[in-house]
Amino acid sequence: AQKVTQAQTEISVVEKEDVTLDCVYETRDTTYYLFWYKQPPSGELVFLIRRNSFDEQNEISGRYSWNFQKSTSSFNFTITASQVVDSAVYFCALSEAGTGGGADGLTFGKGTHLIIQP
Amino acid sequence: DAGVTQSPTHLIKTRGQHVTLRCSPISGHKSVSWYQQVLGQGPQFIFQYYEKEERGRGNFPDRFSARQFPNYSSELNVNALLLGDSALYLCASSPRAAGETGANVLTFGAGSRLTVL
């Protein structure tokens, strides 16, 4: 069975601070995908990144960066110089490609509510 | 281009009633998935449909059913509503079927918020 754990329920920082959201996953598959989604108050899940299990390179996109470490089964997300517009709930998710890349859907963590104070 | 659209956005039902939620995928997307998000939790997978066929099912009771139409839109039906069915129901579309590369790249709609009293 697959599982995603986001231990941080809520994080509050002051604008311009850096913040890291943690994600730990469990899977028996050797081939899998990891995701981060952002959910603003409107409710729509906004896709941020997908990473497959064979690509451990860290990725940077503007103020966002992701650190994937298979040795610790972690896929952490860092926002540099946070802004008020970053306030949202962030979800980490896992898809086991061994079953066919999507037939069982995505397994989401419980989310981290990020509050950026001005 | 329109994204994934869902209707209704909000609705209130009473226990025992039936509800139908609707979803229109992004133009050109043939796969639709449904997720349930209870307050304070992450979304949980219910169904995936591709070309009108069920391609995946999560751990939900038979009270939950869905179908996909020739135009790739989809309906989620829930019978005999329980208080615990109160949630945000999210629809997502993908250009690929389960088993194909990219099948798990999903675009989500804003959801239908169901309250069961």
Side-chain angles (χ1 to χ4, degrees):
Chain A
Q2 51 190 340
K3 184 179 179 181
V4 175
T5 301
Q6 295 180 254
Q8 304 151 309
T9 304
E10 183 174 291
I11 299 175
S12 181
V13 300
V14 177
E15 197 173 21
K16 298 184 182 178
E17 288 185 11
D18 299 348
V19 58
T20 295
L21 309 181
D22 298 333
C23 173
V24 175
Y25 62 92
E26 296 176 27
T27 177
R28 295 179 180 176
D29 272 18
T30 56
T31 303
Y32 52 89
Y33 293 87
L34 295 164
F35 303 77
W36 276 94
Y37 280 87
K38 173 182 180 180
Q39 188 173 44
S42 62
E44 184 172 341
L45 283 167
V46 178
F47 169 82
L48 296 178
I49 189 172
R50 181 182 77 155
R51 171 69 79 217
N52 75 54
S53 53
F54 297 108
D55 184 1
E56 287 193 74
Q57 282 191 332
N58 293 331
E59 180 156 340
I60 298 175
S61 176
R63 296 184 296 107
Y64 295 171
S65 63
W66 291 269
N67 180 256
F68 177 28
Q69 292 193 342
K70 288 180 74 172
S71 60
T72 56
S73 296
S74 65
F75 186 44
N76 297 337
F77 172 33
T78 297
I79 301 175
T80 303
S82 61
Q83 300 176 2
V84 172
V85 294
D86 296 327
S87 297
V89 180
Y90 290 85
F91 290 97
C92 180
L94 167 70
S95 173
E96 290 180 335
T99 55
D104 292 336
L106 302 184
T107 297
F108 285 84
K110 293 185 177 182
T112 297
H113 185 198
L114 177 63
I115 301 169
I116 310 298
Q117 301 179 22
Chain B
D1 286 344
V4 177
T5 57
Q6 295 186 242
S7 64
T9 54
H10 296 83
L11 69 166
I12 300 174
K13 294 284 188 178
T14 56
R15 281 178 296 175
Q17 284 189 314
H18 162 271
V19 68
T20 297
L21 308 177
R22 296 176 176 83
C23 171
S24 293
I26 289 174
S27 178
H29 284 195
K30 299 180 179 180
S31 175
V32 169
S33 299
W34 288 94
Y35 286 77
Q36 180 196 62
Q37 186 179 13
V38 174
L39 191 63
Q41 302 292 317
Q44 190 172 357
F45 174 67
I46 310 175
F47 287 111
Q48 183 187 89
Y49 274 77
Y50 181 80
E51 292 279 10
K52 298 180 289 180
E53 290 186 1
E54 182 183 302
R55 292 297 190 97
R57 172 185 284 258
N59 187 24
F60 278 81
D62 292 342
R63 299 184 297 108
F64 288 77
S65 63
R67 57 179 176 168
Q68 188 177 31
F69 299 100
N71 66 353
Y72 306 115
S73 67
S74 177
E75 283 183 355
L76 175 69
N77 295 282
V78 187
N79 292 322
L81 285 168
L82 303 174
L83 295 179
D85 295 331
S86 295
L88 179 67
Y89 288 85
L90 294 163
C91 175
S93 74
S94 166
R96 302 283 184 267
E100 297 181 6
T101 301
N104 53 19
V105 180
L106 304 177
T107 302
F108 283 85
S112 294
R113 186 166 296 282
L114 170 65
T115 301
V116 182
L117 302 177

